Amino acid sequence: MKQTPVPAPRLTGTAEQLAASRSMKPPERPAGPAHRSGVLAPPPLQSNFDGLGQGTSGVRPPDTHGAVGLNHFVEVTNGRGLGMFQKSNGALVKNVTFASFFGYTAQTIFDPRVVYDKKWNRWVVVAEAFQESATIQNVFLAVSTTSDPTGSFYLYKFDAAEPSGDFLDFPQLGMDQDAVIITANIFAGNTYVRSRVMGIAKSDIYNGRAFSMLYQSLGAVGSVAPPIVEDNNANAFLVVAGVGSPTALRLFRASGLGRSNASIAAAVNVPVPSFSLPPDARQPGVADRLDSLDARFQNASTQIGNRLLNVHTINMGNFPTPRWYQINTSTNTVAAGESGILREASDSDDFNPAVAGSSVGGTASNPIGRMFFTWSSTDAVGSGLHHASVKGSGRLATDPVNITGGSTLATATTAYNPSTSTVERWGDYSAVSIDPVAYGTCAVGQRAWIVNERHVNTTQWGSRFGSFGFC
């Protein structure tokens, strides 16, 4: 195992401002209502707020991501940096660019992610910068010293240890009880060449110490989603949905991450129904489409017991359609009743999804009892035409597997067409996180927060965040 040393961080308080689908017939969508009457009611929407917007410093795509903590919701986006909002009323209490936050201006910092560690009450932020040279590209990691995101952070910067000219991209952020887990794609020029996984000991970075980390290649397998492990499982499972293997997911078992004996076992295949790259999402009245990305898992999985939950967008009946899976990591299978789809209606285009699960209502045979989703949706062909919406919904373990309808947090009134491209960048991702605090009659695990991209006019992106729950 390659161990890469990283020096001790500087401790600082934050400040201010930055800068072909495969040739196979796609499965058909199951029959369902053309619009929203007669569908399973989503968990009630409990809060709904405007998040960060493009303004004058945002760049496309926003890479909208976020997480909920004890008193705050923290959102990260390209260009606008970190936004710290009060949960109680959605008020923005602090906004700081990545250049100021990390004290780095040599290159633009982008591709941010943030996770809240509920056990240790710490915020963890990761991002990368464009290359300074053929041999220097910096990755940035921040860990709060308390549960307050407006306070101080340990700040780390390290060079991605790649061959000259190679470029680290699309980092994803997860964790188990001992380690922060980062995955990334590596490119040589415009050619994808491999995926990396990093395992960093919490005991080091949560105490502001220098660290050595696992830095391992998984080969050219596609984008690897790390887990957020919600229990004390000794193994952390990483998953890939590569269209090179369109009838299987690939599952890696990592052990001892954050320790000197860390190891990652060779991937095993998890059979699933065939899938292919999704078409881009249509917008009513215009030829321009919104990028539905590809069939990768865009966000971290939820891992509870022997189940791993994630969602990706596939082609279903020539509609972009999110499909979720609950993988049994003991048998490397997805059982009947443990996979389904998300859609607003039978004629909507649905994409850019994220999911999180909780153990409330779970059983020994099905430990994830609650699921919470967000996604983007347009309707360009049906009776309920609309531009891009921010959607949220959820399901109990005993509910039907397919989710239709959902709550709408925001809907645009115009098409999104900020460039001369015929396919506009969107996402590249969204986020769902479980509230670590009980809320009225809503116990921990019954309520989640989501954040997703919206657009406020033809050329400006925005975002929306909010909460909903089974209570």
PDB file of all heavy atoms in Angstrom, residues 19-44:
ATOM      1  N   ALA A  19     -12.880  32.868  -6.813  1.00  0.00           N
ATOM      2  CA  ALA A  19     -13.353  32.803  -8.191  1.00  0.00           C
ATOM      3  C   ALA A  19     -13.965  31.384  -8.709  1.00  0.00           C
ATOM      4  O   ALA A  19     -14.009  30.604  -8.001  1.00  0.00           O
ATOM      5  CB  ALA A  19     -12.203  33.146  -9.095  1.00  0.00           C
ATOM      6  N   ALA A  20     -21.512   8.778 -25.356  1.00  0.00           N
ATOM      7  CA  ALA A  20     -22.198   8.073 -26.370  1.00  0.00           C
ATOM      8  C   ALA A  20     -22.715   6.800 -25.789  1.00  0.00           C
ATOM      9  O   ALA A  20     -22.080   5.850 -25.508  1.00  0.00           O
ATOM     10  CB  ALA A  20     -21.358   7.699 -27.561  1.00  0.00           C
ATOM     11  N   SER A  21     -23.609   7.224 -25.404  1.00  0.00           N
ATOM     12  CA  SER A  21     -24.275   6.090 -24.760  1.00  0.00           C
ATOM     13  C   SER A  21     -23.971   4.781 -25.488  1.00  0.00           C
ATOM     14  O   SER A  21     -23.699   4.741 -26.663  1.00  0.00           O
ATOM     15  CB  SER A  21     -25.793   6.303 -24.752  1.00  0.00           C
ATOM     16  OG  SER A  21     -26.445   5.257 -24.104  1.00  0.00           O
ATOM     17  N   ARG A  22     -24.005   3.676 -24.757  1.00  0.00           N
ATOM     18  CA  ARG A  22     -23.801   2.362 -25.367  1.00  0.00           C
ATOM     19  C   ARG A  22     -24.945   2.018 -26.310  1.00  0.00           C
ATOM     20  O   ARG A  22     -26.075   2.413 -26.109  1.00  0.00           O
ATOM     21  CB  ARG A  22     -23.703   1.290 -24.274  1.00  0.00           C
ATOM     22  CG  ARG A  22     -22.463   1.462 -23.408  1.00  0.00           C
ATOM     23  CD  ARG A  22     -22.397   0.387 -22.366  1.00  0.00           C
ATOM     24  NE  ARG A  22     -22.358  -0.919 -22.984  1.00  0.00           N
ATOM     25  CZ  ARG A  22     -21.247  -1.507 -23.393  1.00  0.00           C
ATOM     26  NH1 ARG A  22     -20.096  -0.889 -23.291  1.00  0.00           N
ATOM     27  NH2 ARG A  22     -21.285  -2.705 -23.915  1.00  0.00           N
ATOM     28  N   SER A  23     -24.610   1.224 -27.347  1.00  0.00           N
ATOM     29  CA  SER A  23     -25.629   0.882 -28.365  1.00  0.00           C
ATOM     30  C   SER A  23     -26.438  -0.315 -27.899  1.00  0.00           C
ATOM     31  O   SER A  23     -26.224  -1.439 -28.322  1.00  0.00           O
ATOM     32  CB  SER A  23     -24.958   0.579 -29.700  1.00  0.00           C
ATOM     33  OG  SER A  23     -24.004  -0.435 -29.533  1.00  0.00           O
ATOM     34  N   MET A  24     -27.359  -0.083 -26.990  1.00  0.00           N
ATOM     35  CA  MET A  24     -28.262  -1.120 -26.526  1.00  0.00           C
ATOM     36  C   MET A  24     -29.616  -0.464 -26.292  1.00  0.00           C
ATOM     37  O   MET A  24     -29.706   0.725 -26.022  1.00  0.00           O
ATOM     38  CB  MET A  24     -27.758  -1.761 -25.224  1.00  0.00           C
ATOM     39  CG  MET A  24     -27.645  -0.800 -24.054  1.00  0.00           C
ATOM     40  SD  MET A  24     -27.320  -1.632 -22.499  1.00  0.00           S
ATOM     41  CE  MET A  24     -25.732  -2.341 -22.840  1.00  0.00           C
ATOM     42  N   LYS A  25     -30.653  -1.249 -26.444  1.00  0.00           N
ATOM     43  CA  LYS A  25     -31.985  -0.718 -26.227  1.00  0.00           C
ATOM     44  C   LYS A  25     -32.182  -0.479 -24.742  1.00  0.00           C
ATOM     45  O   LYS A  25     -32.015  -1.396 -23.933  1.00  0.00           O
ATOM     46  CB  LYS A  25     -33.039  -1.687 -26.757  1.00  0.00           C
ATOM     47  CG  LYS A  25     -34.477  -1.225 -26.525  1.00  0.00           C
ATOM     48  CD  LYS A  25     -35.444  -2.189 -27.144  1.00  0.00           C
ATOM     49  CE  LYS A  25     -36.879  -1.834 -26.757  1.00  0.00           C
ATOM     50  NZ  LYS A  25     -37.250  -0.471 -27.131  1.00  0.00           N
ATOM     51  N   PRO A  26     -32.529   0.742 -24.333  1.00  0.00           N
ATOM     52  CA  PRO A  26     -32.712   1.008 -22.903  1.00  0.00           C
ATOM     53  C   PRO A  26     -33.982   0.353 -22.398  1.00  0.00           C
ATOM     54  O   PRO A  26     -34.933   0.140 -23.164  1.00  0.00           O
ATOM     55  CB  PRO A  26     -32.820   2.531 -22.841  1.00  0.00           C
ATOM     56  CG  PRO A  26     -33.356   2.925 -24.171  1.00  0.00           C
ATOM     57  CD  PRO A  26     -32.751   1.948 -25.152  1.00  0.00           C
ATOM     58  N   PRO A  27     -34.043  -0.006 -21.105  1.00  0.00           N
ATOM     59  CA  PRO A  27     -35.287  -0.525 -20.551  1.00  0.00           C
ATOM     60  C   PRO A  27     -36.378   0.524 -20.588  1.00  0.00           C
ATOM     61  O   PRO A  27     -36.100   1.726 -20.560  1.00  0.00           O
ATOM     62  CB  PRO A  27     -34.905  -0.888 -19.113  1.00  0.00           C
ATOM     63  CG  PRO A  27     -33.739  -0.006 -18.803  1.00  0.00           C
ATOM     64  CD  PRO A  27     -32.987   0.157 -20.092  1.00  0.00           C
ATOM     65  N   GLU A  28     -37.618   0.083 -20.658  1.00  0.00           N
ATOM     66  CA  GLU A  28     -38.739   1.008 -20.638  1.00  0.00           C
ATOM     67  C   GLU A  28     -39.061   1.404 -19.216  1.00  0.00           C
ATOM     68  O   GLU A  28     -38.881   0.627 -18.271  1.00  0.00           O
ATOM     69  CB  GLU A  28     -39.977   0.355 -21.271  1.00  0.00           C
ATOM     70  CG  GLU A  28     -39.828   0.070 -22.756  1.00  0.00           C
ATOM     71  CD  GLU A  28     -39.608   1.323 -23.581  1.00  0.00           C
ATOM     72  OE1 GLU A  28     -40.223   2.370 -23.246  1.00  0.00           O
ATOM     73  OE2 GLU A  28     -38.825   1.285 -24.547  1.00  0.00           O
ATOM     74  N   ARG A  29     -39.526   2.640 -19.045  1.00  0.00           N
ATOM     75  CA  ARG A  29     -40.038   3.047 -17.745  1.00  0.00           C
ATOM     76  C   ARG A  29     -41.299   2.268 -17.439  1.00  0.00           C
ATOM     77  O   ARG A  29     -42.122   2.020 -18.329  1.00  0.00           O
ATOM     78  CB  ARG A  29     -40.380   4.540 -17.751  1.00  0.00           C
ATOM     79  CG  ARG A  29     -39.210   5.470 -17.492  1.00  0.00           C
ATOM     80  CD  ARG A  29     -39.701   6.884 -17.358  1.00  0.00           C
ATOM     81  NE  ARG A  29     -38.678   7.766 -16.820  1.00  0.00           N
ATOM     82  CZ  ARG A  29     -38.901   9.024 -16.492  1.00  0.00           C
ATOM     83  NH1 ARG A  29     -40.092   9.562 -16.647  1.00  0.00           N
ATOM     84  NH2 ARG A  29     -37.937   9.774 -16.000  1.00  0.00           N
ATOM     85  N   PRO A  30     -41.491   1.874 -16.177  1.00  0.00           N
ATOM     86  CA  PRO A  30     -42.755   1.227 -15.831  1.00  0.00           C
ATOM     87  C   PRO A  30     -43.919   2.189 -16.003  1.00  0.00           C
ATOM     88  O   PRO A  30     -43.757   3.407 -15.914  1.00  0.00           O
ATOM     89  CB  PRO A  30     -42.568   0.832 -14.363  1.00  0.00           C
ATOM     90  CG  PRO A  30     -41.509   1.737 -13.853  1.00  0.00           C
ATOM     91  CD  PRO A  30     -40.606   2.012 -15.022  1.00  0.00           C
ATOM     92  N   ALA A  31     -45.094   1.650 -16.281  1.00  0.00           N
ATOM     93  CA  ALA A  31     -46.275   2.486 -16.438  1.00  0.00           C
ATOM     94  C   ALA A  31     -46.542   3.254 -15.162  1.00  0.00           C
ATOM     95  O   ALA A  31     -46.292   2.781 -14.060  1.00  0.00           O
ATOM     96  CB  ALA A  31     -47.484   1.632 -16.789  1.00  0.00           C
ATOM     97  N   GLY A  32     -47.044   4.464 -15.309  1.00  0.00           N
ATOM     98  CA  GLY A  32     -47.341   5.277 -14.142  1.00  0.00           C
ATOM     99  C   GLY A  32     -48.167   6.462 -14.556  1.00  0.00           C
ATOM    100  O   GLY A  32     -48.457   6.665 -15.731  1.00  0.00           O
ATOM    101  N   PRO A  33     -48.573   7.280 -13.607  1.00  0.00           N
ATOM    102  CA  PRO A  33     -49.416   8.424 -13.933  1.00  0.00           C
ATOM    103  C   PRO A  33     -48.679   9.430 -14.797  1.00  0.00           C
ATOM    104  O   PRO A  33     -47.490   9.667 -14.613  1.00  0.00           O
ATOM    105  CB  PRO A  33     -49.768   9.012 -12.562  1.00  0.00           C
ATOM    106  CG  PRO A  33     -48.673   8.543 -11.659  1.00  0.00           C
ATOM    107  CD  PRO A  33     -48.269   7.194 -12.165  1.00  0.00           C
ATOM    108  N   ALA A  34     -49.385  10.014 -15.778  1.00  0.00           N
ATOM    109  CA  ALA A  34     -48.781  11.032 -16.620  1.00  0.00           C
ATOM    110  C   ALA A  34     -48.465  12.270 -15.812  1.00  0.00           C
ATOM    111  O   ALA A  34     -47.568  13.023 -16.135  1.00  0.00           O
ATOM    112  CB  ALA A  34     -49.712  11.387 -17.775  1.00  0.00           C
ATOM    113  N   HIS A  35     -49.259  12.507 -14.752  1.00  0.00           N
ATOM    114  CA  HIS A  35     -48.866  13.577 -13.841  1.00  0.00           C
ATOM    115  C   HIS A  35     -49.159  13.192 -12.412  1.00  0.00           C
ATOM    116  O   HIS A  35     -49.247  12.022 -12.082  1.00  0.00           O
ATOM    117  CB  HIS A  35     -49.375  14.950 -14.285  1.00  0.00           C
ATOM    118  CG  HIS A  35     -48.211  15.738 -14.792  1.00  0.00           C
ATOM    119  ND1 HIS A  35     -47.437  16.505 -13.975  1.00  0.00           N
ATOM    120  CD2 HIS A  35     -47.636  15.762 -16.009  1.00  0.00           C
ATOM    121  CE1 HIS A  35     -46.424  17.016 -14.672  1.00  0.00           C
ATOM    122  NE2 HIS A  35     -46.524  16.582 -15.904  1.00  0.00           N
ATOM    123  N   ARG A  36     -49.240  14.130 -11.524  1.00  0.00           N
ATOM    124  CA  ARG A  36     -48.960  13.852 -10.130  1.00  0.00           C
ATOM    125  C   ARG A  36     -50.102  13.332  -9.296  1.00  0.00           C
ATOM    126  O   ARG A  36     -49.926  13.076  -8.127  1.00  0.00           O
ATOM    127  CB  ARG A  36     -48.379  15.125  -9.523  1.00  0.00           C
ATOM    128  CG  ARG A  36     -47.090  15.471 -10.279  1.00  0.00           C
ATOM    129  CD  ARG A  36     -46.639  16.839 -10.081  1.00  0.00           C
ATOM    130  NE  ARG A  36     -46.481  17.681 -11.227  1.00  0.00           N
ATOM    131  CZ  ARG A  36     -45.903  17.393 -12.365  1.00  0.00           C
ATOM    132  NH1 ARG A  36     -45.486  16.195 -12.608  1.00  0.00           N
ATOM    133  NH2 ARG A  36     -45.773  18.271 -13.293  1.00  0.00           N
ATOM    134  N   SER A  37     -51.268  13.179  -9.870  1.00  0.00           N
ATOM    135  CA  SER A  37     -52.378  12.672  -9.071  1.00  0.00           C
ATOM    136  C   SER A  37     -52.217  11.176  -8.823  1.00  0.00           C
ATOM    137  O   SER A  37     -51.711  10.444  -9.661  1.00  0.00           O
ATOM    138  CB  SER A  37     -53.702  12.932  -9.794  1.00  0.00           C
ATOM    139  OG  SER A  37     -53.704  12.304 -11.041  1.00  0.00           O
ATOM    140  N   GLY A  38     -52.643  10.722  -7.662  1.00  0.00           N
ATOM    141  CA  GLY A  38     -52.683   9.300  -7.372  1.00  0.00           C
ATOM    142  C   GLY A  38     -51.335   8.665  -7.111  1.00  0.00           C
ATOM    143  O   GLY A  38     -51.172   7.463  -7.267  1.00  0.00           O
ATOM    144  N   VAL A  39     -50.314   9.447  -6.712  1.00  0.00           N
ATOM    145  CA  VAL A  39     -49.006   8.881  -6.451  1.00  0.00           C
ATOM    146  C   VAL A  39     -48.759   8.860  -4.949  1.00  0.00           C
ATOM    147  O   VAL A  39     -49.445   9.522  -4.180  1.00  0.00           O
ATOM    148  CB  VAL A  39     -47.893   9.687  -7.165  1.00  0.00           C
ATOM    149  CG1 VAL A  39     -48.130   9.682  -8.659  1.00  0.00           C
ATOM    150  CG2 VAL A  39     -47.810  11.112  -6.640  1.00  0.00           C
ATOM    151  N   LEU A  40     -47.735   8.081  -4.551  1.00  0.00           N
ATOM    152  CA  LEU A  40     -47.371   7.980  -3.144  1.00  0.00           C
ATOM    153  C   LEU A  40     -46.978   9.351  -2.606  1.00  0.00           C
ATOM    154  O   LEU A  40     -46.158  10.050  -3.183  1.00  0.00           O
ATOM    155  CB  LEU A  40     -46.201   7.010  -2.994  1.00  0.00           C
ATOM    156  CG  LEU A  40     -45.709   6.739  -1.577  1.00  0.00           C
ATOM    157  CD1 LEU A  40     -46.737   5.914  -0.817  1.00  0.00           C
ATOM    158  CD2 LEU A  40     -44.376   6.007  -1.621  1.00  0.00           C
ATOM    159  N   ALA A  41     -47.578   9.769  -1.494  1.00  0.00           N
ATOM    160  CA  ALA A  41     -47.282  11.084  -0.918  1.00  0.00           C
ATOM    161  C   ALA A  41     -45.852  11.116  -0.404  1.00  0.00           C
ATOM    162  O   ALA A  41     -45.411  10.197   0.289  1.00  0.00           O
ATOM    163  CB  ALA A  41     -48.256  11.393   0.208  1.00  0.00           C
ATOM    164  N   PRO A  42     -45.085  12.164  -0.740  1.00  0.00           N
ATOM    165  CA  PRO A  42     -43.727  12.263  -0.216  1.00  0.00           C
ATOM    166  C   PRO A  42     -43.756  12.657   1.248  1.00  0.00           C
ATOM    167  O   PRO A  42     -44.767  13.176   1.749  1.00  0.00           O
ATOM    168  CB  PRO A  42     -43.114  13.372  -1.075  1.00  0.00           C
ATOM    169  CG  PRO A  42     -44.279  14.242  -1.430  1.00  0.00           C
ATOM    170  CD  PRO A  42     -45.442  13.303  -1.592  1.00  0.00           C
ATOM    171  N   PRO A  43     -42.641  12.451   1.969  1.00  0.00           N
ATOM    172  CA  PRO A  43     -42.572  12.972   3.335  1.00  0.00           C
ATOM    173  C   PRO A  43     -42.734  14.484   3.306  1.00  0.00           C
ATOM    174  O   PRO A  43     -42.246  15.148   2.383  1.00  0.00           O
ATOM    175  CB  PRO A  43     -41.182  12.550   3.816  1.00  0.00           C
ATOM    176  CG  PRO A  43     -40.404  12.273   2.580  1.00  0.00           C
ATOM    177  CD  PRO A  43     -41.392  11.789   1.567  1.00  0.00           C
ATOM    178  N   PRO A  44     -43.418  15.066   4.280  1.00  0.00           N
ATOM    179  CA  PRO A  44     -43.732  16.492   4.241  1.00  0.00           C
ATOM    180  C   PRO A  44     -42.482  17.373   4.200  1.00  0.00           C
ATOM    181  O   PRO A  44     -41.514  17.146   4.925  1.00  0.00           O
ATOM    182  CB  PRO A  44     -44.525  16.731   5.531  1.00  0.00           C
ATOM    183  CG  PRO A  44     -45.066  15.389   5.888  1.00  0.00           C
ATOM    184  CD  PRO A  44     -44.053  14.396   5.434  1.00  0.00           C
TER     185      PRO A  44
END
